Amino acid sequence: MAEIIMREAIARGLREALDKDERAFIMGEDVGAYQGAYAVTKGFFEKYGPERVRDTPIAEGVMVGAGVGAAMAGQRPIVEIMTINFLLLGIDQVVNHAAKLRYMSNGQLEVPLIIRTVTGGGAQLAATHSQSFEGWFASVPGIKVAIPSDPYDALGLFRSALDERDPVIFAEHALLYGFKGEVPDAPYKVPFGQAAVKREGKDITLVAYGRMVHVAQNAAKLFAEMGKQAEVIDVRTLRPLDLDTIVKSVKKTNRCIVVEEVWETGGFGSWIAQSVQEAAFDDLDGPVGHVGGLDVPAPYNGVLEAAAIPDAKRVLQKAKELFGM
Amino acid sequence: MKVAINLDKAQVAEMYRQMALIRLFEEQCARQYQQGKIRGFLHLYIGQEAVAVGAMSVTRKDDYVITSYRDHGHAIAKGIHPNAVMAELFGKVTGCSGGKGGSMHLFDIEKRFMGGHAIVAGQMPLACGLGLAIKRKKEDSAVLCFFGDGAVNEGYFHESLNLASLWKLPVIFFLENNMYGMGTLVSRARAAGKDIYLAADAYNIPAAQIDGMDVAAVREATAEALKRVRTGDGPVFIEAMTYRFRGHSMSDASYYRESSEVEREQVRDPIPAFKKLAVTEGLISEKELAQIDKEVEAAVTESIKFANESPNPPMEALFEHIIAS
């Protein structure tokens, strides 16, 4: 067991992929000679060479599409899209092609493609570079979406992504690359569709994913100071979604708030909240709460930006409003 | 049309048979659409038969073919049985996509027919990926990527030509210039006007413009292109000048062109021209042609009977093949 940062956990997963499967290769903008925009593939170019670690032109449409096409022909492409904001230029290939080919071909085709991309705000990159679109993708049948919150999950989920025979969006929060955590040396996997109870409690369930898991943890600490025990659930994969673990928790705590970074309007967390409402209505002491990013484009100014992203204080405020906690 | 054909008798008979089959198949499709047996969008290939038939006549079984939504001709020329194509148009379980793809999404992966794709130019990045897979596996097969003049103003077109050339991918970019992107004349949609093949030069791709109404010319150009592509020298671009005699789809009222224009173009009809030349050169007799016509008619009639008598997909199919498991 060693403590490593999330960047290293993902890099380990990538090295394992290239080492064990000749069909696997990485392509993306500046993944090679530049060593990766977020340095995840540092050293890869030297170790594996330009055929396995392919620098592409800045052209997300063909980058994603070539990944889909290579997967259609039996390869195991891992495409890095520098940020999820740029994936909008490749979204047609994800939604209209990768997600549909198995179904439209009646099972003749499959697209075992991993798209790694960086999500989230908080680095003062302003409106076009700070968004969280993983939930958009999660609403599309035919693709899977994983979003780790710590190094253990990052490596475990990535290993599972490698086993998947469907397209996977693997969203990595920019502010978590340097986050440290224990990762065992022995092999393990974190299966898709299995949420994690990251902290146990009996008074309220906080459901979150990505960096918001840490916001929920901070909120839980504040609740503890008030003598309340919050249970924190990390969804880990938005699709498949493990509703059972969430509902089981809510049946125990009778209160639930979903926390996510994307805008409050139409966020994926609203779907989680609605699903909890349907599944556990009789066990609820109040409506299921939802805390999302404020409905504004991300401002550059740090003070303004911080105000737009959910924090522990807003979670507590929501609990007070809904449950008088 | 050239004055002499460099084909033997068997080749002439086979190419005529395929063109006649596609023509009659498409004419019957129009009828079945009017009777409500075929629904959704239906884009007919009438007028363009020489392109698919000429190109496919020199491909190998292990060459990939990928195309747009006007895909019946390519599918049949690549060897998909007309029964399976017609059944797909009828939405039946015996269709080549199990009744879940329809006219615009025909697939037969065993035959390496990698699909009709209905997002304009969306198949071009996929073709790059297929080519990349071939290159990674060090095989010498090729990708034939068909698209229309409507696709050339999409970003995908430029991104794909660039990537394929940069990485020397074994792709033949096969432009079927039928003069109209839906209802918009090429010169009304493209600043550089006609001679689209010249655009390939910007990406360092050798290109040629050919008569897409001359099946022998299409065959020769494709054979030439395949030679280069198989040696690993990178992509080739072919612009086949053709014309569709029917509307863009069945819902096209043809406001954008005079019927006199269509009549004028019909002089170029690839089938009578080929027939006349082949007879003049003594490569086929009127009697042989009549025999082929009879066989083709029987095949199309059989395909309709087959489609009519085939069952709908079972209700379970609704949830099948969305993801691997």
Side-chain angles (χ1 to χ4, degrees):
Chain A
M1 190 81 96
E3 203 168 61
I4 60 171
I5 58 174
M6 199 164 100
R7 174 184 289 111
E8 176 48 29
I10 296 163
R12 190 186 291 180
L14 286 166
R15 281 194 295 270
E16 287 175 6
L18 295 181
D19 288 339
K20 78 169 187 198
D21 192 346
E22 198 44 47
R23 299 170 306 170
F25 64 97
I26 296 172
M27 65 175 160
E29 183 198 337
D30 282 322
V31 293
Y34 186 96
Q35 311 288 323
Y38 285 86
V40 175
T41 51
K42 194 163 175 229
F44 278 52
F45 196 61
E46 288 69 24
K47 185 170 182 201
Y48 297 102
E51 202 285 316
R52 308 274 322 268
V53 183
R54 309 182 78 99
D55 282 319
T56 64
I58 303 174
E60 287 79 7
V62 75
M63 230 185 280
V64 177
V68 178
M72 285 163 77
Q75 297 287 294
R76 292 287 183 275
I78 301 165
V79 174
E80 177 177 313
I81 299 292
M82 198 181 288
T83 85
I84 206 161
N85 308 279
F86 310 158
L87 191 51
L88 297 190
L89 285 108
I91 197 168
D92 161 66
Q93 282 297 333
V94 178
V95 174
N96 281 324
H97 298 81
K100 303 294 191 287
L101 287 169
R102 182 189 291 279
Y103 196 76
M104 291 199 308
S105 72
N106 200 31
Q108 295 179 75
L109 276 173
E110 57 185 20
V111 184
L113 163 72
I114 298 175
I115 298 174
R116 286 186 44 243
T117 191
V118 176
T119 188
Q124 283 193 259
L125 298 175
T128 61
H129 279 56
S130 307
Q131 302 167 101
S132 305
F133 292 130
E134 54 278 357
W136 285 15
F137 291 100
S139 78
V140 179
I143 45 183
K144 296 180 176 173
V145 177
I147 176 162
S149 68
D150 59 32
Y152 179 92
D153 283 353
L155 180 55
L157 286 169
F158 192 79
R159 284 173 174 155
S160 293
L162 291 172
D163 293 338
E164 286 291 335
R165 288 158 55 206
D166 295 300
V168 173
I169 304 285
F170 199 86
E172 303 160 11
H173 198 291
L175 298 191
L176 293 181
Y177 278 128
F179 185 83
K180 262 190 189 167
E182 299 257 303
V183 171
D185 299 322
Y188 71 95
K189 285 176 189 171
V190 172
F192 278 24
Q194 204 174 96
V197 179
K198 289 275 159 93
R199 177 189 177 115
E200 287 191 28
K202 59 177 177 41
D203 298 318
I204 184 169
T205 301
L206 303 177
V207 181
Y209 57 90
R211 196 176 80 81
M212 288 301 112
V213 173
H214 302 283
V215 166
Q217 291 279 27
N218 290 340
K221 282 178 200 145
L222 296 179
F223 277 124
E225 287 170 16
M226 296 156 53
K228 303 282 183 195
Q229 302 309 315
E231 183 145 297
V232 175
I233 294 183
D234 181 350
V235 175
R236 299 201 289 202
T237 56
L238 300 186
R239 187 188 275 265
L241 178 66
D242 175 12
L243 197 60
D244 291 349
T245 298
I246 301 170
V247 169
K248 200 174 141 206
S249 171
V250 173
K251 289 197 172 185
K252 178 175 68 173
T253 64
N254 313 113
R255 299 181 187 92
C256 179
I257 294 176
V258 184
V259 191
E260 62 182 343
E261 190 170 324
V262 72
W263 301 293
E264 281 177 334
T265 302
F268 191 79
S270 308
W271 163 249
I272 297 177
Q274 189 236 321
S275 304
V276 170
Q277 208 115 253
E278 281 188 14
F281 188 74
D282 290 340
D283 296 285
L284 287 166
D285 284 352
V288 178
H290 179 239
V291 174
L294 299 186
D295 268 343
V296 298
Y300 163 66
N301 178 277
V303 178
L304 295 184
E305 184 190 34
I309 298 173
D311 58 11
K313 233 170 65 195
R314 275 186 55 208
V315 177
L316 261 73
Q317 196 187 326
K318 181 64 82 177
K320 199 175 165 189
E321 271 169 42
L322 297 179
F323 315 119
M325 278 177 83
Chain B
M1 179 67 65
K2 295 195 309 184
V3 285
I5 329 173
N6 194 17
L7 296 171
D8 64 30
K9 281 188 166 188
Q11 289 163 339
V12 165
E14 178 56 19
M15 286 167 87
Y16 174 74
R17 189 188 66 79
Q18 287 207 22
M19 285 199 291
L21 174 62
I22 294 168
R23 173 68 55 95
L24 191 67
F25 185 91
E26 294 291 66
E27 283 169 352
Q28 285 300 325
C29 282
R31 215 162 285 170
Q32 299 304 316
Y33 186 89
Q34 280 149 358
Q35 289 174 22
K37 298 279 189 179
I38 299 174
R39 307 296 294 262
F41 284 140
L42 179 67
H43 307 86
L44 301 177
Y45 199 59
I46 293 172
Q48 302 181 211
E49 295 90 343
V51 182
V53 171
M56 243 63 91
S57 73
V58 282
T59 55
R60 297 192 319 224
K61 279 194 171 139
D62 63 343
D63 291 331
Y64 290 107
V65 168
I66 190 160
T67 183
S68 72
Y69 45 85
R70 197 179 303 285
D71 57 350
H72 311 171
H74 307 102
I76 290 171
K78 184 63 174 160
I80 306 183
H81 199 284
N83 288 8
V85 179
M86 191 63 85
E88 186 58 35
L89 306 187
F90 277 49
K92 298 299 182 68
V93 70
T94 51
C96 60
S97 306
K100 285 158 80 171
S103 164
M104 302 190 286
H105 311 110
L106 305 174
F107 291 92
D108 189 333
I109 303 319
E110 209 174 293
K111 293 206 157 61
R112 294 210 163 178
F113 185 77
M114 308 307 278
H117 296 270
I119 303 297
V120 174
Q123 74 275 26
M124 300 186 75
L126 301 179
C128 290
L130 295 169
L132 180 56
I134 292 170
K135 199 178 165 87
R136 293 209 72 229
K137 288 188 270 189
K138 298 185 167 62
E139 291 171 354
D140 74 339
S141 49
V143 184
L144 270 76
C145 175
F146 294 92
F147 54 98
D149 49 275
V152 308
N153 302 308
E154 290 278 11
Y156 282 149
F157 172 86
H158 302 276
E159 293 185 22
S160 300
L161 261 60
N162 181 56
L163 193 76
S165 183
L166 192 68
W167 288 358
K168 294 193 182 305
L169 303 177
V171 179
I172 299 178
F173 290 105
F174 221 119
L175 164 59
E176 297 187 58
N177 185 347
N178 68 14
M179 309 298 291
Y180 292 92
M182 204 158 146
T184 302
L185 193 66
V186 170
S187 59
R188 294 180 59 228
R190 188 168 184 273
K194 60 186 174 72
D195 297 333
I196 298 170
Y197 76 103
L198 296 175
D201 193 47
Y203 301 103
N204 202 21
I205 299 176
Q209 189 179 55
I210 61 168
D211 181 359
M213 298 306 217
D214 180 346
V215 70
V218 174
R219 179 185 161 97
E220 269 173 41
T222 309
E224 203 52 42
L226 280 168
K227 232 186 277 169
R228 174 186 152 97
V229 161
R230 293 199 204 285
T231 58
D233 283 347
V236 174
F237 190 103
I238 297 173
E239 178 180 18
M241 302 308 290
T242 182
Y243 196 81
R244 63 169 158 69
F245 298 140
R246 299 294 184 100
H248 165 74
S249 71
M250 291 300 288
S251 53
D252 177 351
S254 263
Y255 294 127
Y256 54 89
R257 63 180 183 186
E258 300 291 335
S259 56
S260 61
E261 177 186 306
V262 180
E263 281 159 29
R264 202 167 58 241
E265 290 289 341
Q266 257 157 354
V267 177
R268 297 169 65 211
D269 190 329
I271 297 175
F274 181 67
K275 211 153 107 171
K276 196 175 155 197
L277 189 63
V279 171
T280 310
E281 294 201 2
L283 290 166
I284 203 161
S285 69
E286 292 286 357
K287 201 176 142 198
E288 285 165 316
L289 288 168
Q291 177 59 31
I292 292 173
D293 286 342
K294 222 171 103 184
E295 286 163 18
V296 160
E297 208 182 315
V300 174
T301 305
E302 156 65 20
S303 76
I304 293 165
K305 185 167 181 280
F306 177 80
N308 258 323
E309 288 170 1
S310 290
N312 281 318
M315 212 33 92
E316 303 91 80
L318 184 59
F319 292 105
E320 274 172 3
H321 304 308
I322 298 170
I323 53 172
S325 49

